[in-house]
Amino acid sequence: MSLETVSTSRSHGGVQGVYRHRSRATGTDMTFSLYMPPRAGEGARPPVVWYLSGLTCTHANVTEKGEFRRACSELGLAFVAPDTSPRGADVPGDPGGAYDFGLGAGFYVDATREPFSRNYRMWSYVVEELPELIGAHFPVDRARQSIMGHSMGGHGALTVALRNPDRYRAASAFAPIVAPSQVPWGMKALGGYLGDDRQAWRKHDAVALIEDGARFDSLLVDVGDADPFLTEQLRPEMLQQACARAGIPLTLHLRPGYDHSYYFISTFMQDHLRWHADRLG
């Protein structure tokens, strides 16, 4: 579990780092960013917020554009941003070079279909390996964790939380793909990684998980009403209906004039981090 430091920078009294390691889950080198807030005292261990990014992104997108560090410093939150897929010359991508499958588009699943099953094990990486690595190398409180994400990463955050409700104290999403088994991005990804058995897709679909009995204390979702992917790919009304039927408290904000970009995310990042801090204690 060795770790290479790529860079560190002082920010808002804490340290923004970028790190690289060899992943046993993906069989590749993986890079992630971690912001450690100022420590409140000797032996202090901050809670951890996991942030899962969207299609085409790496750890760098939210690290450079998310505007989370001031809030994390004030609230005492560690903030971890992994990559969205394995990478490397030998890692297969989309045969046609499309942006919505393969490199940069791991969809936070463990692929079972060749040739992707060798490297595309992002579920195991995000849920098991990376938390173990962070806990071994940084003074964080792994008993207090929460998770959030954007778009494909919003899908990942919701499914991870719904399948692990005892591990994460809060979950939120910006413009999530809430029902990937019913929209084009998700059908392409789940079919490509998991094959044609749609029953196997359900554990990676937030709406299907809720329909099948998964529960979480409460969820926060923000979506822009000017998001070009709103009606075809995101479908937040489906999550709203599923949560209403299941009795899951959902705070859903439809933000007038906002799109899918990091201008949108950075505007409401502080709101989400305060939501997480309230629940992390």
Side-chain angles (χ1 to χ4, degrees):
M1 296 185 67
S2 61
L3 191 65
E4 173 190 354
T5 299
V6 177
S7 66
T8 58
S9 300
R10 195 78 173 166
S11 181
H12 295 287
V15 176
Q16 177 63 66
V18 177
Y19 307 92
R20 182 183 299 120
H21 71 107
R22 188 71 179 177
S23 168
R24 65 173 184 264
T26 69
T28 66
D29 288 343
M30 295 293 287
T31 302
F32 66 92
S33 76
L34 166 63
Y35 178 72
M36 284 291 290
R39 298 182 69 179
E42 188 65 29
R45 291 178 173 267
V48 184
V49 178
W50 300 91
Y51 180 93
L52 305 185
S53 295
L55 288 167
T56 76
C57 292
T58 69
H59 71 281
N61 295 76
V62 69
T63 305
E64 296 169 2
K65 302 175 184 178
E67 300 182 21
F68 57 85
R69 278 172 287 271
R70 181 184 294 276
C72 284
S73 175
E74 294 173 355
L75 297 168
L77 302 174
F79 189 97
V80 183
D83 204 345
T84 53
S85 79
R87 298 179 191 271
D90 297 330
V91 177
D94 186 273
Y99 75 94
D100 55 358
F101 186 79
L103 300 178
F107 261 82
Y108 305 101
V109 305
D110 282 351
T112 56
R113 189 175 184 182
E114 293 291 346
F116 306 103
S117 57
R118 183 178 69 251
N119 304 116
Y120 285 83
R121 298 184 54 79
M122 291 301 295
W123 180 273
S124 291
Y125 179 70
V126 166
V127 176
E128 301 297 340
E129 182 179 6
L130 190 55
E132 181 182 348
L133 183 76
I134 297 291
H137 288 273
F138 299 94
V140 298
D141 186 352
R142 288 186 60 195
R144 293 185 294 156
Q145 300 184 77
S146 67
I147 192 163
M148 63 191 303
H150 168 233
S151 193
M152 176 186 72
H155 136 76
L158 293 176
T159 57
V160 168
L162 285 164
R163 289 174 59 184
N164 298 275
D166 295 331
R167 182 183 301 189
Y168 302 95
R169 296 193 183 184
S172 71
F174 298 102
I177 307 168
V178 304
S181 63
Q182 300 185 58
V183 301
W185 276 343
M187 288 188 285
K188 178 177 180 177
L190 297 179
Y193 293 132
L194 304 177
D196 296 331
D197 180 7
R198 288 180 172 252
Q199 190 62 34
W201 299 6
R202 294 185 68 82
K203 66 180 182 179
H204 293 291
D205 180 310
V207 169
L209 281 167
I210 293 170
E211 291 174 348
D212 293 344
R215 297 293 182 266
F216 202 77
D217 285 345
S218 60
L219 301 171
L220 170 64
V221 171
D222 274 63
V223 185
D225 72 359
D227 192 316
F229 308 114
L230 181 62
T231 58
E232 183 180 29
Q233 306 282 10
L234 307 182
R235 306 290 305 278
E237 73 282 357
M238 296 183 68
L239 180 66
Q240 188 174 38
Q241 293 161 6
C243 285
R245 288 192 294 266
I248 298 173
L250 169 67
T251 302
L252 174 62
H253 295 132
L254 190 62
R255 302 294 188 176
Y258 285 90
D259 58 18
H260 201 71
S261 71
Y262 269 90
Y263 297 111
F264 157 62
I265 296 167
S266 63
T267 300
F268 301 104
M269 177 65 82
Q270 180 172 297
D271 295 345
H272 280 240
L273 290 172
R274 292 194 180 282
W275 165 279
H276 286 252
D278 287 345
R279 287 153 180 80
L280 287 165

